[in-house]
């Protein structure tokens, strides 16, 4: 599992949840039913961040998390795919502007052979239409994700 944007608010919460469970099947149940890991450890959790300088990144590293650095806003799908090599699941916690680049992340997942991609759909509850840009990006992301396999 790799968490994109793990140094942000939502990414930190998700990464901590992945690390805090003693249930060896937590990750597989959290993400999808048909995939079963024999067990999971901090070494199974990877994070992809722009910079390793934030204290939360250092905290995760001390806990055994593998740190991968990539700037989603500047990288190509091929460069991002290198970051995803050997990864089965990508959880996107990208903020507003990187969120708009999720199409390139989906393309990278396809190139790298990622089995599951969870797009950044984390937001304040709001009626459709009130967050116009998020609605447009969500629509485009869903179209790309439907072509995932």
């Amino acid at each position: 599992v790799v968490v994109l944007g793990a140094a942000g608010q939502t990414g930190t919460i998700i990464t901590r949840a992945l690390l805090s469970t003693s249930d060896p099947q937590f990750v597989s149940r959290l993400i999808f039913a048909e995939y079963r890991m024999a067990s999971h450890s901090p070494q199974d959790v990877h994070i992809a961040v722009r910079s390793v300088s934030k204290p939360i990144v250092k905290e995760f590293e001390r806990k055994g998390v593998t740190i991968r650095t990539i700037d989603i806003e500047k990288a190509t799908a091929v460069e991002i795919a290198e970051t995803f090599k050997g990864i089965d699941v990508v959880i996107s916690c990208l903020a507003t502007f990187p969120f708009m680049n999720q199409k390139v992340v989906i393309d990278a997942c396809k190139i790298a052979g990622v089995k599951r991609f969870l797009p950044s759909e984390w937001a304040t509850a709001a009626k459709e239409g009130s967050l116009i840009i998020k609605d447009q990006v969500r629509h485009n992301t869903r179209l790309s994700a439907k072509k995932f396999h």
Side-chain angles (χ1 to χ4, degrees), residues 35-64:
Y35 181 73
R36 294 285 180 241
M37 296 170 58
S39 64
H40 109 272
S41 69
Q43 290 75 27
D44 297 322
V45 179
H46 303 248
I47 63 172
V49 294
R50 264 185 303 225
S51 167
V52 296
S53 64
K54 287 190 175 183
I56 190 64
V57 175
K58 297 194 184 305
E59 174 189 320
F60 290 148
E61 189 173 36
R62 282 190 303 274
K63 291 181 178 183

Side-chain angles (χ1 to χ4, degrees), residues 57-72:
V57 175
K58 297 194 184 305
E59 174 189 320
F60 290 148
E61 189 173 36
R62 282 190 303 274
K63 291 181 178 183
V65 172
T66 301
I67 312 299
R68 300 173 181 223
T69 56
I70 188 80
D71 188 338
I72 298 298

Side-chain angles (χ1 to χ4, degrees), residues 44-114:
D44 297 322
V45 179
H46 303 248
I47 63 172
V49 294
R50 264 185 303 225
S51 167
V52 296
S53 64
K54 287 190 175 183
I56 190 64
V57 175
K58 297 194 184 305
E59 174 189 320
F60 290 148
E61 189 173 36
R62 282 190 303 274
K63 291 181 178 183
V65 172
T66 301
I67 312 299
R68 300 173 181 223
T69 56
I70 188 80
D71 188 338
I72 298 298
E73 293 182 73
K74 296 178 182 172
T76 65
V78 172
E79 291 168 330
I80 298 168
E82 283 296 313
T83 303
F84 295 163
K85 273 191 176 172
I87 297 295
D88 290 328
V89 180
V90 173
I91 302 172
S92 176
C93 299
L94 298 175
T96 306
F97 294 109
F99 166 80
M100 293 163 52
N101 293 332
Q102 280 195 115
K103 169 75 170 74
V104 75
V105 174
I106 291 168
D107 292 343
C109 287
K110 292 176 189 177
I111 293 166
V114 171

